[in-house]
Amino acid sequence: MPDEHLTFDRLGLIPKLLSATKTAGYLRPTPIQQLAIPPALAGRDILGCAQTGTGKTAAFALPILQHLDAMVGNKPKLRALVLTPTRELAAQISESVKTYGADLDLWHTVIFGGVSDKAQIAELRRGVDLLVATPGRLLDLMGRGVVRLEDVELFVLDEADRMLDMGFLPDVRRITKELPKDRQTMFFSATMPPQIRRLAESLLDRPVSVAVAPVSSTVDLIQQEVFFVKKAEKRKLLAELLREEAVEHTLVFSRTKHGANRIVRQLEKDGIRAEAIHGNKSQGARTRALDAFRSGDLNVLVATDIAARGIDVDGVTHVINFDLPNVPETYVHRIGRTARAGASGVAWSFCDAEERPFLASIEKLIDKKIKRAD
Ligand code: AMP
């Protein structure tokens, strides 16, 4: 069982990676990280049932970086391969690797289709320790002799069920056939239909299975409403809501750090005290704001998604999405900050004209229509 109070330093990570989790603003490992990191560091294969938004990227990337750091030689050699279905995911994973591995002496790159392969080939020729790739482009470059997998010791197959949906399984099989047998494999999928289970069995050796609840499971306890509002009018609406309602402990979400600072300044002009927490604030400033919020001295905390992921505060009565996230799972995470431990909670979302498509994907994910506020 995941432990709510476990900290990163208990997982067996080296100091350079621990400091990277701090730089990223993570306070505690998410459940999938708690469950997967220790066995992955011990060299075990992992079968992970988890979707995007659970923190699964760090769950595989941190152990891989640690292994690479331990075995790295003078010349980069392709020792770790992460295969993921879309270019967006590939780019995101690559960004995460960059963040987590900032203090390590490793080379990595990302390749995907839809763009010229020139720069990708140049990077690969220079040599990399870790490669993040989508199947099509990888096969293409393997076919042209630019990439060889014979030295791969660590392999991650990410979002396997999406590979299946997108028709990539034959490509995946052609790639995995080229991998050395002696390797560590981590396999992640949000769902495990029979074809995926069979694929997992063929790739994994006595894996440790880790599963975390889908992120949509808390939604039903929360009273959700959406306000259709012009961008320029969000500020006024926020102040009104915060004044009128019996809002005690409100977490306001902003997509960006600048946005969070602006909201705090505007609320102050409107006579409402608020503080922001985000990655540009020092650890001390964040802790002070959180303590004030916890103790009830501060009623309104404005947070970015990354800063909020590690926050563990009971008694948040309201969550307000000042803007809607473009990743629907993030919405579920945000509103999940209220209605903790079975309590009820309220989640209000502001949606301007440009954000309508985000609302549509959120409603699709949670499989219900959010009530429109009058
Ligand atoms: P993922 O499921 O890997 O796509 O991660 C979703 C988001 O959670 C990313 O924005 C990560 O930066 C963030 N994240 C991952 N691990 C943690 C953590 N332990 N604490 C807070 N945020 C995290």
Side-chain angles (χ1 to χ4, degrees):
M1 281 294 283
D3 170 356
E4 283 228 1
H5 303 288
L6 192 82
T7 46
F8 270 105
D9 52 7
R10 305 284 295 280
L11 298 180
L13 293 166
I14 55 174
K16 281 180 183 168
L17 289 172
L18 274 182
S19 65
T21 64
K22 289 212 179 70
T23 311
Y26 305 165
L27 297 181
R28 282 178 214 296
T30 65
I32 189 82
Q33 292 162 4
Q34 293 186 20
L35 298 171
I37 291 175
L41 285 176
R44 295 290 304 268
D45 279 5
I46 303 287
L47 175 58
C49 196
Q51 61 193 67
T52 299
T54 52
K56 71 177 158 68
T57 312
F60 65 72
L62 292 170
I64 285 190
L65 289 168
Q66 184 148 327
H67 284 308
L68 287 175
D69 184 62
M71 60 190 172
V72 85
N74 293 335
K75 222 173 152 290
K77 198 153 95 169
L78 181 49
R79 291 190 166 100
L81 173 68
V82 178
L83 204 54
T84 190
T86 67
R87 58 190 280 182
E88 287 76 20
L89 282 165
Q92 265 172 41
I93 293 171
S94 168
E95 276 306 307
S96 301
V97 166
K98 202 151 114 198
T99 309
Y100 306 146
D103 293 338
L104 305 182
D105 200 11
L106 295 171
W107 293 93
H108 96 276
T109 196
V110 56
I111 59 172
F112 44 71
V115 295
S116 157
D117 56 18
K118 268 223 187 83
Q120 298 177 356
I121 292 174
E123 290 255 341
L124 287 164
R125 291 234 155 96
R126 227 173 291 146
V128 293
D129 301 294
L130 188 161
L131 176 64
V132 181
T134 54
R137 179 58 57 97
L138 177 60
L139 271 176
D140 179 23
L141 295 186
M142 280 165 65
R144 288 157 58 194
V146 184
V147 184
R148 298 161 68 111
L149 304 185
E150 66 210 11
D151 294 318
V152 172
E153 296 176 44
L154 301 151
F155 172 58
V156 176
L157 185 62
D158 184 40
E159 308 250 339
D161 52 354
R162 251 164 98 185
M163 296 275 196
L164 171 71
D165 292 344
M166 296 173 76
F168 291 165
L169 280 203
D171 283 356
V172 170
R173 286 204 192 88
R174 283 167 61 199
I175 293 165
T176 54
K177 254 193 10 230
E178 303 297 320
L179 289 169
K181 292 271 166 299
D182 190 14
R183 56 160 204 264
Q184 181 181 4
T185 304
M186 299 187 229
F187 186 108
F188 288 88
S189 194
T191 57
M192 292 284 168
Q195 262 175 296
I196 291 301
R197 199 158 281 284
R198 278 199 298 277
L199 179 68
E201 276 161 16
S202 73
L203 294 176
L204 297 164
D205 177 23
R206 286 165 296 137
V208 175
S209 289
V210 294
V212 296
V215 282
S216 55
S217 56
T218 55
V219 175
D220 291 337
L221 290 165
I222 302 163
Q223 200 187 314
Q224 302 167 63
E225 278 185 82
V226 57
F227 293 77
F228 290 117
V229 61
K230 292 207 180 81
K231 204 185 220 108
E233 280 164 17
K234 287 185 173 184
R235 167 192 175 178
K236 205 169 123 234
L237 178 62
L238 178 65
E240 273 169 22
L241 288 171
L242 288 175
R243 267 200 217 101
E244 279 172 23
E245 286 285 329
V247 288
E248 291 159 39
H249 261 74
T250 305
L251 200 51
V252 179
F253 278 98
S254 155
R255 212 163 20 217
T256 64
K257 298 171 198 167
H258 290 305
N261 289 338
R262 195 162 48 231
I263 293 170
V264 168
R265 281 199 304 274
Q266 290 170 342
L267 283 175
E268 270 164 10
K269 281 192 194 137
D270 291 327
I272 297 167
R273 203 178 135 233
E275 288 202 35
I277 54 164
H278 52 64
N280 283 3
K281 298 256 172 183
S282 69
Q283 191 68 37
R286 269 188 277 169
T287 313
R288 274 195 300 281
L290 263 179
D291 286 346
F293 189 62
R294 271 204 196 96
S295 68
D297 285 346
L298 178 72
N299 284 336
V300 183
L301 193 64
V302 184
T304 57
D305 292 302
I306 296 208
R309 281 296 296 278
I311 312 182
D312 183 15
V313 195
D314 287 333
V316 173
T317 55
H318 294 67
V319 166
I320 300 181
N321 293 309
F322 194 83
D323 35 39
L324 280 179
N326 54 356
V327 177
E329 285 83 3
T330 304
Y331 172 84
V332 179
H333 281 300
R334 287 180 175 188
I335 71 168
R337 312 316 307 190
T338 181
R340 305 274 290 206
S344 64
V346 176
W348 288 321
S349 299
F350 297 176
C351 178
D352 65 31
E354 282 170 23
E355 294 171 309
R356 291 291 183 108
F358 301 162
L359 180 65
S361 4
I362 289 166
E363 292 184 324
K364 188 160 165 244
L365 173 76
I366 63 175
D367 199 22
K368 73 178 188 193
K369 260 198 129 38
I370 301 173
K371 190 171 161 237
R372 273 57 179 157
D374 321 309

